[in-house]
Amino acid sequence: MPDSSAGPTPTSLEPLELVAIGAPTARLGGRPAPSDVLWRKHLALLIYLARSPNRTRSRSHLIALLWPDKVESRARHSLNEALHRLRSALGSGRLIVQGDSVTLSEDGLSIDVESPPSPEGRESESEFMEGFALPDAPGFEEWADAERPRWRARVVNVALGVGGRALDGGAHLTAAEIARSILSRDPLSEPGEKLLIRALALSGDCAGALHAFHLFSVRLEELAERPSRDLSALAVRIRTDSPPGRALTREPGLAPLSGREAPLRAAAALLADTFAGRAALILVQGRPGMGRTRFLAECESRLVLDGAVVAHVRPVEGDQSVAWSTLRALVRRGLLNAPGLPGMTPFDLSLLAGIVPELKARAVPRDALDQGEVASAFAALLTAIAEEAPVALIIDDANLADSATLSALGAALTQLQQTPVSVILAPVADDPEKPRELLHLEAQVGRSLRGALITLRPLEHAAILAVVEAMAPWCEDETERDRLARRLAFETGGSPLFLVTLLQGLLDVASLREHLVAWPRASETLETPLPMEVPGMVRLAILAQAARLDREAMMVLRAASVAGAVIDDALLSAMTGVSRAGLVTPMAALERRHFLRLEDGRYAFVSPVLAGVIARECLTGSEIRELRGRALAGLAGREDLESRIASGELRSAVEPGLPAFDLCLGLAHEAAGLRLARLARRALVAAERSISEVEEGRRAELERLRSELGLAAAPPG
């Protein structure tokens, strides 16, 4: 027969939640526990049992712990009374008494100290049994004191993991905040200090990182201790690698790497394995403006910070036709004076000296018989350097590298699988002229070569909003930031380059800020042109891409830039004189170069900024007028509403006046009647721009219709 003291079956017990982090308390069934449970020694008894092996202690142990100042009989009576009251409040099955042992039932029991600290670090400022004391039970006090450092260590370990992941994902400031929280708990935590120093250095605050190291050293000196060699070496690298022009230098106000957390973590994991002695090939691809160069700079900073020898080059178009041009640049830009170079054999050094003139002072140049010999010599160079420190080779615009170097890199990596060497290549995505050797390397990633293929895609709204929050402090509230983020998402097509450059431009053009953050209004259209001059950096980036187009593709692009919202091959044929069949090749080139995208049989610019820059920079006023006239002729006779509205928009630009106004106003009525609000807005904007400000009567008619349609007034511009 079971012991009657065991009470009801465990399933009848109400859930008991014990809180030991912060001010101790208990909840029963989700409600505050009865006062008998919350009495200090009763609560101490429950928490102590919950933390005991098998949730069990002997009566004599509990008596000595909680009632040491009482004689045996009175202490035993106090324990029995405590058990009676607790069983009455919690259910007789919660405390199981068998012989000399007391057990706290597991059923429905939870205690916060046994759950992992939250990733958000909510417990980071709370202590175990905070503010709780039993002066007449010194044994319990000693136990609680011993539990506190264990809890702190768990919190710190979890926080270090969260901080490390934040740092890997590019959230430098978040990682620094977590590190400071760790150090507020444990000022002598070297892992916490290392996290803080790395986060500050990667954010560009090298002076702050060195100051933090100095303060930490002072704290250790007070205990007659010194920072570890690893931490001291980190500080030395920051001090010696942070002058202007080096990897750890950051431009003031540099935008955060938002929306790149997953790619950064993937790269960070591979680079960490490289430091452990395993080679890796990382290909970072994306269309122009997707932030490949910024991504590489982040990777380089981490590599430099961790003590790697880094060679970072960016070939230009002419390098493709010059054999070994990229290899020479790699040697010159980081490997020429690297530790370990003297360890090469004279034969291998002579082969490289035949390619890199700067090595002639070390060895007599020797001509290689074939590319295989050069690849082996280059592998020997990397091996010699890697014996002293991990090596990283970074090639931006890798699609412009010469074929010989790319072939040698692939062959060298095959020989260096168990060597701390990483190669990071950043080609333009979908480049039709990508070298065959680069395609071969891409095919080997994850197969014969350990590594990853990372594609940088357009930023989504959340990432754009994060950049806006960092770079537009003049936005006063969340609504303004959200509106600006949506407007910029439309304008830039999610391009980090365009996004950051436009925001930097707004820092200098304060008069446009109020207008932009009110845009788009609740009933306004995103198609209304951007009321600011496109910054020079964006213009240069777009024109650099356009310069790579052939004559025919450029002619089509210029026509498309003034065609309006309706761009199809029939219209472009009418505007350029090129047959629809003849447009296939140039249109494909414009898609590959990421100027246009195909949507439901029609083309659209990837970003409105692209169309604006091409029209302004690549066409004269008379050419724009001529092309608009051809577009009007090409749209003539089309019956679909969108084509007719596009024709109205063109007419309001080519022949502004009352006829164009009446045409666009009628189209707005028609679109509104069909509940096509977006088209109605476009027609109203075109109507407004077809008449001058002095024609008040017509403007009143426009406003009346606008009011009837429930549309907001169009912004000026």
Side-chain angles (χ1 to χ4, degrees), residues 335 337-344 362 380-389:
L335 307 182
N337 298 310
L341 189 64
M344 290 186 66
R362 297 173 180 261
L381 168 68
L382 298 176
T383 300
I385 297 173
E387 288 179 356
E388 300 293 331

Side-chain angles (χ1 to χ4, degrees), residues 410-601:
L413 278 174
T414 301
Q415 301 175 43
L416 301 173
Q417 292 295 292
Q418 301 303 316
T419 307
V421 173
S422 51
V423 175
I424 308 176
L425 307 178
V428 174
D430 306 322
D431 182 354
E433 301 167 7
K434 188 179 292 185
R436 176 171 51 85
E437 291 78 9
L438 186 56
L439 292 172
H440 178 72
L441 281 172
E442 290 179 6
Q444 299 309 306
V445 174
R447 297 178 181 174
S448 61
L449 296 176
R450 181 177 155 277
L453 180 60
I454 295 171
T455 301
L456 301 181
R457 305 188 186 282
L459 298 182
E460 297 182 353
H461 178 75
I464 293 174
L465 184 59
V467 177
V468 166
E469 289 173 348
M471 298 190 66
W474 37 270
C475 281
E476 295 183 356
D477 56 39
E478 186 176 341
T479 300
E480 286 189 351
R481 288 189 289 271
D482 184 71
R483 287 183 184 278
L484 180 57
R486 286 192 288 131
R487 175 69 207 195
L488 291 172
F490 171 78
E491 287 291 342
T492 66
S495 163
L497 171 64
F498 295 170
L499 169 68
V500 170
T501 309
L502 286 174
L503 281 170
Q504 287 173 336
L506 284 173
L507 289 174
D508 300 323
V509 191
S511 60
L512 294 174
R513 297 174 186 171
E514 182 179 351
H515 197 52
L516 269 176
V517 296
W519 211 350
R521 306 180 193 185
S523 300
E524 192 50 75
T525 174
L526 281 169
E527 283 80 0
T528 309
L530 190 70
M532 64 179 289
E533 181 69 20
V534 176
M537 183 65 73
V538 170
R539 292 201 304 274
L540 289 174
I542 294 172
L543 294 175
Q545 284 302 307
R548 302 184 68 185
L549 298 171
D550 61 29
R551 185 187 63 80
E552 193 170 54
M554 188 62 196
M555 177 181 65
V556 174
L557 180 64
R558 293 165 70 198
S561 70
V562 298
V566 178
I567 309 174
D568 55 34
D569 50 3
L571 179 61
L572 289 174
S573 178
M575 295 176 70
T576 61
V578 179
S579 68
R580 295 176 69 173
L583 286 171
V584 172
T585 299
M587 294 303 285
L590 294 177
E591 281 191 87
R592 282 195 297 268
R593 295 294 185 193
H594 307 289
F595 282 100
L596 300 179
R597 62 175 182 268
L598 189 62
E599 295 179 347
D600 300 325

